[in-house]
């Protein structure tokens, strides 16, 4: 699978990675999914200390035994839980970041993390302190590079101007095009985007209409009601005639040069194989992109009129 560089770093990531949040807690099943991904050239795995209270990192670390050198391993920090206490607390402090990395390293069974990401962010955070923590971790050899996971303009601007982040993870899909406001700006600043949720919770997969019934029946998705999604997905499939919708969805995100990778999740071998198959189609042509963007713009406009 083709690779892209994250920002100006030495990290070369497969154009499609594996979002590990959906792996579940069955270690055998998760290991099979990860091995399938690696066997097909996926070298970019993304997890977080938040997922299953650290269990996800443990499962990923176990699956990568003997194969660590094949992988660009990304995880996240910023959410802290206290045993016996319900829920998580947001903590972007230097102290937490520097202690959190050691906990993640232990769970992942590795002595370094390729990409360490701040898992969120607000305008009220002690940003300078957080950046200082990441820079120190780089110098100390615990991490190779760092980034953030955020869709908030003020947070993105602050880190772009004040830090050496190489990437920003954003929810991005044909049904959530908010990141398109920032893509040119980030490209000009040599910062890559990693697109999470490119299949919009499965709505843009090959079984999209079934997923709409299953996951969007009550609350819809983003600004779209369930009824609008059913019509929209059907028309999208008609608009994209020469390839499956799932392939168009992944390649749509990758069309902008600042998007280095898409990271759909997978909770079964069938799902990871479907993602791999979708990526085997060639990139969208310029005319295909124009057709899709025109359709999405009109559909979004129409949804706000109703």
């Amino acid at each position: 699978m083709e690779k892209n560089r994250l920002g100006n770093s030495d990290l070369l990531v497969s154009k499609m990675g594996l979002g590990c949040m959906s792996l579940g807690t069955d270690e055998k099943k998760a290991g099979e999914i990860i091995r399938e991904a690696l066997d097909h050239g996926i070298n970019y795995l993304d997890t977080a200390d938040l997922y299953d209270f650290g269990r996800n990192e443990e499962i990923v670390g176990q699956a990568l035994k003997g194969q660590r050198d094949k992988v660009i391993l990304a995880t996240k920090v910023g959410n802290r839980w206290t045993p016996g206490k319900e829920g998580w607390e947001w903590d972007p402090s230097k102290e937490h970041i520097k202690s959190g990395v050691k906990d993640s390293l232990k769970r992942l069974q590795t002595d370094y993390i390729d990409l360490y990401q701040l898992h969120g962010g607000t305008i009220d955070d002690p940003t300078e302190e957080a950046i200082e923590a990441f820079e120190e971790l780089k110098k100390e050899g615990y991490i190779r590079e760092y980034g953030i996971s955020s869709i908030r303009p003020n947070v993105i601007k602050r880190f772009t101007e004040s830090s050496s982040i190489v990437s920003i993870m954003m929810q991005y899909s044909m049904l959530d095009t908010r990141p398109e406001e920032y893509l040119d700006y980030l490209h000009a600043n040599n910062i890559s985007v990693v697109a999470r949720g490119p299949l919009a919770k499965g709505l843009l997969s090959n079984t999209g209409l079934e997923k709409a019934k299953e996951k969007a029946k009550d609350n819809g998705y983003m600004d779209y009601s369930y009824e609008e999604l059913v019509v929209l997905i059907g028309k999208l499939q008609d608009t994209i005639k020469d390839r499956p919708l799932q392939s168009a969805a992944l390649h749509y995100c990758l069309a902008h040069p600042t998007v280095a990778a898409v990271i759909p999740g997978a909770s079964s071998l069938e799902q990871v194989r479907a993602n791999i198959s979708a990526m085997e189609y060639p990139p969208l042509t310029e005319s295909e992109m124009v057709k899709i963007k025109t359709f999405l713009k009109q559909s979004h406009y129409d949804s706000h009129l109703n």
Side-chain angles (χ1 to χ4, degrees), residues 13 33 40 51 113 162 168 188 266 282:
V13 299
I33 293 170
H40 284 85
Y51 304 156
I113 291 164
S162 306
I168 298 178

Side-chain angles (χ1 to χ4, degrees), residues 99-153:
S99 65
V101 75
K102 293 175 182 177
D103 294 333
S104 287
L105 288 168
K106 184 177 180 181
R107 288 189 290 264
L108 290 164
Q109 300 183 53
T110 185
D111 55 6
Y112 70 97
I113 291 164
D114 296 292
L115 179 66
Y116 203 36
Q117 301 158 102
L118 188 64
H119 202 175
T122 73
I123 198 65
D124 298 320
D125 289 345
T127 305
E128 291 181 9
E129 178 181 322
I131 293 169
E132 189 174 276
F134 285 115
E135 291 290 349
E136 288 181 9
L137 290 175
K138 277 185 70 174
K139 289 177 184 175
E140 292 161 0
Y142 289 114
I143 67 174
R144 293 176 66 188
E145 300 291 350
Y146 67 98
I148 62 172
S149 176
S150 180
I151 195 71
R152 296 178 175 176

Side-chain angles (χ1 to χ4, degrees), residues 1-3 14-17 32-44 67 70 269 272-277 279-280:
M1 189 173 293
E2 288 183 44
K3 295 181 176 63
S14 50
K15 292 174 80 168
M16 184 176 75
E32 289 172 349
I33 293 170
I34 290 172
R35 283 191 293 276
E36 185 76 10
L38 296 181
D39 287 346
H40 284 85
I42 293 172
N43 79 333
Y44 181 26
Q67 303 186 86
K70 296 180 181 179
L269 280 173
V272 76
R273 286 168 180 163
N275 291 337
I276 291 164
S277 177
M279 278 298 294
E280 290 173 348

Side-chain angles (χ1 to χ4, degrees), residues 199-256:
L199 299 179
K201 295 186 176 181
L203 294 171
L204 298 174
S205 70
N206 295 335
T207 56
L209 289 174
E210 294 171 30
K211 290 292 182 184
K213 293 174 185 176
E214 176 188 332
K215 295 192 173 182
K217 186 76 173 176
D218 296 326
N219 300 315
Y221 183 80
M222 300 295 295
D223 292 339
Y224 298 104
S225 68
Y226 165 70
E227 291 77 15
E228 287 170 337
L229 283 169
V230 170
V231 173
L232 175 63
I233 292 168
K235 288 184 177 179
L236 259 176
Q237 290 173 328
D238 291 338
T239 301
I240 304 155
K241 295 177 180 177
D242 298 326
R243 67 173 78 214
L245 177 60
Q246 187 156 336
S247 172
L250 296 176
H251 283 288
Y252 177 89
C253 296
L254 288 164
H256 195 284

